[in-house]
Amino acid sequence: MNLPEVERLRVLTVLGQPIQLVVGALRKHYLSQSVTLNEKQRKIAALAQALRTEMAIGYKTVIESMLASEQAHFDARLLQTAIYTAFEYMSAALLHCYQLYSPQPAGLWRELHLLYHFAEQNQLHEQGRGETGVPGTISTLYKKALLLAAANPYQLRQQDCERLFNSLSLWAEKSRIPPINDDNNQFVVNLTMDSPPIYQALAKEKLDRNWRCLDLTELLQYLQDELRASAP
């Protein structure tokens, strides 16, 4: 169905709450269960993931439609809303994979990188959903995904993985992702590849302009200060 971008976005927004309620109801059937799910549990988990994926596709369709429009200018507010919400659903899909100890879908990381890079190039990355009272920015969501991946989430329990992800907003605000530099950065990420951040020492390709650092300097200082403040 060929809907205008504004109308498609409105439909997706209306669908958002019931989708979240359905996914929330489905989660109890496959989280906090045996690590090896039975066939029924696997189907329920796949359904929940499919719902998130379809919603992300819907918002990405809005983005693609706006950028393909023959109009000279697009509505930046609508675009940032679509990018932000696509990030939300894609991040939820990523968390789902980590909690079920399953591989991430092919292309997921590449799309996260491309969306962030586009938002950055168009000065949208420090913007939020475009709605009054909704906290967070596109940059914060992206850095949350990077930090979660860097935390070795496949080694965490399901509850701990979700608890970590939900608490990463503050840490994300104290992290930076500048262009690659000559420093010995612990983590780096390639914005053109379908992969999460990796240790710089493990990077096989040349660290060119497509690479970014995951700079944790301010975050580590903050955590050290918090530990000292809480020491008896």
Side-chain angles (χ1 to χ4, degrees):
M1 184 180 297
N2 188 18
L3 292 175
E5 292 87 359
V6 175
E7 183 64 18
R8 189 184 296 273
L9 201 58
R10 187 191 68 79
V11 171
L12 288 168
T13 302
V14 170
L15 287 173
Q17 186 173 3
I19 289 291
Q20 295 294 345
L21 291 174
V22 171
V23 170
L26 294 175
R27 282 162 47 91
K28 64 182 181 182
H29 295 285
Y30 60 84
L31 290 182
S32 302
Q33 306 291 329
S34 170
V35 174
T36 304
L37 302 180
N38 60 39
E39 183 178 358
K40 178 180 178 181
Q41 291 170 322
R42 289 196 299 271
K43 288 181 178 180
I44 293 173
L47 174 59
Q49 187 73 321
L51 290 172
R52 297 188 188 96
T53 301
E54 290 300 319
M55 290 297 290
I57 290 173
Y59 282 100
K60 287 184 288 184
T61 300
V62 172
I63 297 166
E64 292 169 0
S65 178
M66 291 184 68
L67 298 181
S69 173
E70 296 180 356
Q71 298 179 6
H73 301 284
F74 49 74
D75 188 327
R77 189 178 182 85
L78 287 181
L79 185 60
Q80 75 189 44
T81 297
I83 295 174
Y84 184 94
T85 317
F87 255 109
E88 286 188 315
Y89 282 106
M90 293 165 70
S91 297
L94 182 66
L95 176 62
H96 175 99
C97 294
Y98 288 140
Q99 287 185 291
L100 295 185
Y101 311 102
S102 61
Q104 301 118 51
L108 177 59
W109 275 108
R110 179 178 286 110
E111 289 183 341
L112 285 168
H113 299 325
L114 289 177
L115 273 181
Y116 171 75
H117 197 200
F118 172 82
E120 183 185 59
Q121 289 177 321
N122 289 275
Q123 289 79 53
L124 298 173
H125 62 301
E126 295 301 341
Q127 304 299 319
R129 184 182 286 160
E131 300 173 6
T132 304
V134 178
T137 65
I138 293 168
S139 178
T140 298
L141 290 180
Y142 180 58
K143 288 185 287 186
K144 282 181 65 175
L146 297 180
L147 289 168
L148 179 65
N152 202 6
Y154 285 124
Q155 301 300 318
L156 299 176
R157 294 184 301 174
Q158 292 177 336
Q159 300 93 327
D160 292 338
C161 191
E162 184 166 9
R163 191 177 299 116
L164 171 63
F165 182 72
N166 291 336
S167 65
L168 281 177
S169 293
L170 174 60
W171 291 15
E173 292 174 0
K174 297 184 179 299
S175 306
R176 299 191 309 117
I177 38 178
I180 202 74
N181 53 47
D182 295 329
D183 296 338
N184 184 22
N185 304 287
Q186 187 172 13
F187 291 102
V188 293
V189 60
N190 189 315
L191 300 185
T192 65
M193 295 179 65
D194 187 23
S195 58
I198 60 173
Y199 289 109
Q200 180 172 338
L202 299 180
K204 298 179 181 179
E205 296 81 7
K206 179 182 178 181
L207 299 182
D208 57 20
R209 60 188 180 87
N210 292 321
W211 289 83
R212 296 293 179 86
C213 319
L214 180 53
D215 186 347
L216 306 178
T217 305
E218 183 182 351
L219 172 59
L220 293 176
Q221 184 61 56
Y222 166 77
L223 294 175
Q224 290 171 357
D225 293 343
E226 287 290 301
L227 288 172
R228 281 194 290 267
S230 61

